[in-house]
Amino acid sequence: MTEPARLRAVVLGDPIAHSRSPKLHGFWLKHYGIAGSYEALHVPASSLAPTLTRLMAEGYAGCNLTVPHKEAALPLMDELDEAARAIGAVNTVLFRAGRMLGRNTDAHGFIENLRQSVPDLAPYLACAVILGAGGAARAGLHGLKAAGARDIWVVNRTRARADALAAAFGVKAADWSDLPALLPRATLLANATTLGMQGSPALVLPWEAIAPQTLVTDMVYAPLRTELLQRAEARGCMTVDGLGMLLHQAAPGFAAWFGVTPEVSPALRAAVLA
Ligand code: NAP
C-alpha cells in the first residue's frame, strides 16, 4: 500500500530565525494528528520567485510570506483574493493545480482576535482610531471596513502616508496633535506602529484622553503586555494583546493546506509563548 503524500508548508523570509510560525503550525499538526510538516526557510529577496516555483514543483501545499516578501509576491501570483489586493500584500500562498493563489489573512487575524475577546464587536466599531500607516495599518483598516466600521481615523507620524491610506480606504486622516480631541470619542484604539516594540522607541499618547469604554488593542506582541495595554487597563479599558492576531491570521492557511480548521486555544498561546 502506498503511503498518502505528506502535506508540507513553509514560511519564507529574511531574516526568518525569529519566526514563531513553525511552532504555531507545529502545535496544530501535532494536536490534530496530521502527518504534515511546516518549516522556516531563509529566502533573500532576490530568490523569492525561483523558490516559489521550486516549492510548487516539489508538491508543497503552500507557504507563508514574511518580510521582505509580502509586497514583492503580488505580481508573482496567478490569482489574488480581495484582501491581498486591498492591502497590497500577500502573506499566505496556496499551490493549487499548478497555480499560485495569493491571500492576505492579516485583516482576518486582526478582527478575529478582537472577536475572541469581544464576540459582539459592533458597538466598538462606532469610531475606530488606528495609529500607523504601514502594512499592519492597511490590514487593520481592511479588517475594520469589512467588519462594518464607518467612522475610521488613521493617525501617523508622517501625515502624507496617513493621507494616502485615508484616500485608498475611504477613511479620515488626522495628526498626532489631534489625539487629545480624537481619543475621547474613540470606541476602538489600535496601535499599528512599531512603537512600544522591543528595541523600538516608546509609544507616547495623551493617556488621560483614552475613555474607559474604549476597546484598546496593540498589534505589537513583543512584549505581550505593552505600555499601551497597561495604561489602557489603568484607565479601565478592555484590552486585547497582539499575539492573538498572529495566531488567528495563521488559521486560514492551515485550513487550506492541511484540511482542518484549527482552534486558537489557550494551549496554542502557551505553546507559542514558551
Ligand atoms: P511598517 O510598515 O514599518 O510601519 C511602521 C509604522 O510605525 C509607520 O506608520 C511608522 O510611521 C510608524 N513609526 C515607526 N517609528 C516611529 C516613530 N519613531 N515615531 C512615530 N511613528 C513611528 O511596519 P508594519 O509592518 O506596519 O508593522 C507595525 C507593527 O505591527 C510591528 O510592530 C509589527 O510587528 C506589528 N504587526 C503585528 C502583527 C500581528 O500579527 N500581531 C501583524 C503585522 C504587524 P511613519 O510612516 O511616519 O514612518
Side-chain angles (χ1 to χ4, degrees):
M1 210 168 74
T2 51
E3 273 197 31
R6 192 177 167 85
L7 295 164
R8 287 175 298 169
V10 64
V11 57
L12 316 182
D14 180 17
I16 197 62
H18 68 286
S19 173
R20 300 192 193 206
S21 294
K23 212 179 228 182
L24 205 173
H25 288 278
F27 175 92
W28 280 333
L29 286 169
K30 192 166 171 215
H31 182 77
Y32 294 107
I34 296 169
S37 68
Y38 185 104
E39 281 142 32
L41 199 60
H42 175 248
V43 176
S46 57
S47 306
L48 178 63
T51 303
L52 287 170
T53 304
R54 176 176 67 76
L55 293 172
M56 186 158 75
E58 288 178 2
Y60 276 75
C63 62
N64 282 127
L65 300 176
T66 185
V67 176
H69 302 312
K70 288 182 171 193
E71 289 84 17
L74 281 171
L76 304 176
M77 298 293 115
D78 295 301
E79 213 177 292
L80 293 170
D81 73 354
E82 193 209 337
R85 270 198 304 272
I87 297 165
V90 171
N91 73 342
T92 303
V93 181
L94 317 184
F95 299 136
R96 290 263 169 89
R99 289 166 60 77
M100 296 186 196
L101 315 185
R103 294 183 173 179
N104 192 305
T105 63
D106 278 337
H108 166 89
F110 175 67
I111 292 296
E112 289 312 303
N113 183 34
L114 295 177
R115 281 217 176 99
Q116 191 161 29
S117 294
V118 185
D120 183 13
L121 206 49
Y124 294 99
L125 298 178
C127 177
V129 175
I130 288 214
L131 307 175
R138 292 184 77 91
L141 286 174
H142 184 70
L144 284 172
K145 290 209 70 167
R150 292 285 166 266
D151 189 17
I152 305 175
W153 294 83
V154 188
V155 178
N156 191 49
R157 171 180 61 179
T158 309
R159 176 61 191 256
R161 292 189 77 202
D163 286 338
L165 232 62
F169 286 87
V171 301
K172 286 165 270 188
D175 285 319
W176 213 265
S177 58
D178 296 324
L179 284 172
L182 192 53
L183 286 179
R185 295 175 41 208
T187 49
L188 178 74
L189 171 63
N191 176 37
T193 72
T194 49
L195 296 173
M197 191 169 79
Q198 263 160 23
S200 293
L203 174 66
V204 179
L205 293 178
W207 306 112
E208 66 291 344
I210 299 176
Q213 63 273 18
T214 310
L215 175 62
V216 178
T217 188
D218 204 330
M219 294 199 197
V220 170
Y221 57 83
L224 195 57
R225 303 307 299 166
T226 59
E227 184 179 2
L228 169 63
L229 299 184
Q230 292 177 39
R231 294 269 196 173
E233 267 163 25
R235 302 274 311 148
C237 301
M238 206 181 333
T239 63
V240 180
D241 69 49
L243 181 65
M245 178 177 170
L246 180 80
L247 306 181
H248 281 282
Q249 66 75 30
F254 187 92
W257 304 320
F258 300 116
V260 174
T261 300
E263 190 196 350
V264 174
S265 63
L268 173 71
R269 271 181 76 92
V272 171
L273 283 173

